[in-house]
Amino acid sequence: MNDSDPSNPAFSAQRRRVLLGMGAAGVALAGSSLSCPAMAAQTGKTTAQVTEAPSSDKTQDRHDFHGQHQSGIVTPRPAAGMLVSFDVLASDREDLERLLRTLDQRIKFLMTGGPVPQVDPKLPPLDSGILGPVVTPDNLTITVSVGASLFDGRFGLAAAKPKRLIRMVGFPNDALEPDCCHGDLSLQFCSNTADTNIHALRDIVKNLPDLLLVRWKQEGSVPPQAPARPGEPAQSARNFLGFRDGSANPDSNDRKAMEQIVWVQPGSDEPAWAAHGSYQAVRIIRNFVERWDRTPLQEQESIIGRVKASGAPMDGQQEHQVPDYRKDPHGQLTKLDAHIRLANPRTAETQRNLILRRPFNYSNGVNKNGQLDMGLLFICYQADLEQGFISVQTRLNGEPLEEYLKPVGGGYFFTLPGVTGERDFLGRGLLEATQAKTSA
């Protein structure tokens, strides 16, 4: 039988495969205006060059440096994030104050933007130049926090240590790598683009070579979402497990809620200087994405407790609906050990355990065994570390999701209060709170 005969079943099958292949190629081309010159011509972008930089009208977006609280906590999360932990090399309080004042000055400039002063070409330039001769703020925030180790005997700060600040300890499912944990000081960089964060980090490293040493660094990103339809709430971004992350986060625009959940309040049992600061918990959580991708959808949804496509709880229709566990006491819809149910059982008692999450996805390449090294740079803030993250994570110990993830790094830090005026600087209250004891 002739294989080219249209009546031949083999010919028909081959023809279908060819047509399907052509259809798939067409879909791929339609998804990108840069895939085909003809497609580019249809969009009117015939003058663009292959090396032309992407354009953005957001490079001048900026946040105020001054305020009762540091920015980068309740501030809307941009597309690029980075957490860098440092060892402090300062040898005495004078050096520590120089470190804090320099951080204050550099962060203020980087968040505001402006031209870089020029120097004699025979000297190193004052800036890396990766953003050009004029630094754009690009929605940058840099949030400064301190670790428990800063309150050792080096600087006389022990008496002013935040009451609940401890060194991060491992939970049962952790496989913490020492080189990716802890630190004297953390800087959280957030902006519209990864290059803006890298520029800011290099600026700080350049200006503080004798006072700061990078201990570990983790970059991350948030996939932009399409604008919400009129009358509908904005959708949360998806993590690398494919589920929306942040669906049940507290309302960061609710000042009263943030005072209860995030900010240490004046008159609390914390040191007076710590008022308007917050506890920062950071976790680098690797996802076993190959194993997850081979798991049936219904099992994925059962483990998380949400519908994957919409983000809705199992008893709801859309992402931001609140699950009603009282109508599901035996876990017929939402399993009793589902991630969202363990993390937030939605009882009166567990309301005090609420945290404000600010996570980023990360991808670090490939491990030696050929598996993708990717997961979640988990960052959260709370007024009480023990009642917040530690209590939530303790409830999650042993959850089914543990089969698909492994925390490998991170740390606990205390985010300093904001800078309230030109004569103030980051950490001033901490230094002043211990000045008398040191000089006595």
Side-chain angles (χ1 to χ4, degrees):
M1 184 179 290
N2 186 353
D3 287 343
S4 62
D5 184 351
S7 64
N8 186 347
F11 174 86
S12 299
Q14 181 181 9
R15 183 172 182 270
R16 284 196 300 270
R17 285 195 295 269
V18 171
L19 291 175
L20 285 171
M22 292 175 64
V27 170
L29 287 175
S32 172
S33 63
L34 300 182
S35 300
C36 173
M39 299 299 294
Q42 291 174 15
T43 63
K45 297 181 179 179
T46 57
T47 60
Q49 297 297 315
V50 67
T51 56
E52 186 174 312
S55 60
S56 170
D57 60 357
K58 303 295 185 181
T59 59
Q60 291 302 321
D61 288 357
R62 59 171 56 85
H63 295 280
D64 291 335
F65 172 75
H66 293 102
Q68 192 175 62
H69 311 294
Q70 286 194 68
S71 56
I73 301 176
V74 299
T75 309
R77 183 183 51 167
M82 178 169 63
L83 200 292
V84 186
S85 174
F86 297 85
D87 292 328
V88 170
L89 305 180
S91 58
D92 52 31
R93 285 177 65 92
E94 183 178 349
D95 272 352
L96 180 62
E97 180 170 343
R98 178 164 61 91
L99 162 61
L100 293 171
R101 286 184 178 275
T102 304
L103 274 177
D104 185 274
Q105 294 167 2
R106 297 317 303 163
I107 293 173
K108 187 185 306 182
F109 169 74
L110 292 165
M111 285 180 57
T112 304
V116 177
Q118 299 302 303
V119 297
D120 188 325
K122 296 179 181 179
L123 299 174
L126 297 180
D127 186 84
S128 64
I130 65 175
L131 298 185
V134 178
V135 173
T136 51
D138 200 30
N139 206 23
L140 175 68
T141 62
I142 305 175
T143 309
V144 182
S145 308
V146 294
S149 54
L150 192 72
F151 296 85
D152 57 16
R154 288 174 291 171
F155 311 114
L157 304 178
K161 181 181 176 182
K163 187 174 181 179
R164 294 162 183 83
L165 183 59
I166 61 173
R167 181 182 174 91
M168 185 181 70
V169 296
F171 291 90
N173 190 47
D174 290 359
L176 300 178
E177 301 171 5
D179 292 344
C180 298
C181 294
H182 317 305
D184 293 330
L185 182 143
S186 78
L187 296 181
Q188 176 197 262
F189 299 82
C190 300
S191 71
N192 292 332
T193 57
D195 281 20
T196 296
N197 292 338
I198 290 294
H199 171 267
L201 172 61
R202 287 174 58 177
D203 182 281
I204 287 170
V205 169
K206 175 181 175 60
N207 282 279
L208 291 166
D210 60 328
L211 298 178
L212 283 180
L213 177 67
V214 174
R215 182 179 180 88
W216 54 268
K217 173 176 76 72
Q218 181 59 64
E219 296 182 57
S221 62
V222 180
Q225 303 296 296
R229 295 176 180 176
E232 295 184 1
Q235 295 179 327
S236 302
R238 296 184 186 272
N239 56 32
F240 279 153
L241 298 182
F243 281 78
R244 297 196 180 278
D245 200 327
S247 304
N249 226 19
D251 183 357
S252 59
N253 292 313
D254 185 335
R255 179 175 295 183
K256 184 176 180 181
M258 294 300 97
E259 288 176 352
Q260 294 173 345
I261 298 169
V262 174
W263 307 120
V264 170
Q265 294 300 299
S268 71
D269 61 352
E270 293 286 359
W273 73 266
H276 310 303
S278 185
Y279 285 93
Q280 178 193 67
V282 181
R283 302 274 281 175
I284 303 172
I285 305 173
R286 186 184 168 203
N287 296 158
F288 301 132
V289 294
E290 293 92 346
R291 182 185 303 170
W292 181 256
D293 291 344
R294 292 191 293 268
T295 301
L297 175 60
Q298 62 182 12
E299 185 175 347
Q300 292 185 5
E301 294 181 336
S302 175
I303 289 171
I304 298 298
R306 290 189 178 274
V307 179
K308 191 170 187 177
S310 65
M314 303 304 290
D315 59 349
Q317 301 298 320
Q318 53 94 0
E319 177 190 355
H320 296 287
Q321 283 181 275
V322 177
D324 189 349
Y325 299 140
R326 294 173 300 176
K327 294 182 179 179
D328 186 26
H330 304 295
Q332 296 299 313
L333 287 175
T334 306
K335 300 294 185 183
L336 298 180
D337 58 2
H339 180 77
I340 70 167
R341 192 161 188 166
L342 289 175
N344 185 1
R346 297 187 180 277
T347 65
E349 294 78 13
T350 57
Q351 284 298 104
R352 62 182 179 177
N353 305 137
L354 295 178
I355 58 178
L356 185 71
R357 289 166 289 151
R358 213 168 189 273
F360 295 86
N361 299 330
Y362 79 81
S363 181
N364 290 343
V366 182
N367 287 332
K368 292 181 180 179
N369 61 4
Q371 291 186 328
L372 299 173
D373 183 0
M374 57 176 52
L376 192 70
L377 171 58
F378 177 89
I379 305 171
C380 72
Y381 294 91
Q382 56 265 284
D384 187 319
L385 182 61
E386 294 173 359
Q387 290 191 2
F389 172 78
I390 293 175
S391 292
V392 172
Q393 181 56 52
T394 300
R395 284 201 299 268
L396 291 170
N397 287 341
E399 66 169 326
L401 185 59
E402 286 186 346
E403 182 182 348
Y404 301 93
L405 54 82
K406 185 68 65 174
V408 297
Y412 298 153
F413 303 90
F414 187 82
T415 302
L416 300 174
V419 177
T420 56
E422 293 296 334
R423 307 182 79 174
D424 194 10
F425 64 92
L426 286 165
R428 178 186 61 82
L430 170 59
L431 293 179
E432 291 183 353
T434 54
Q435 186 63 49
K437 294 179 178 62
T438 302
S439 59

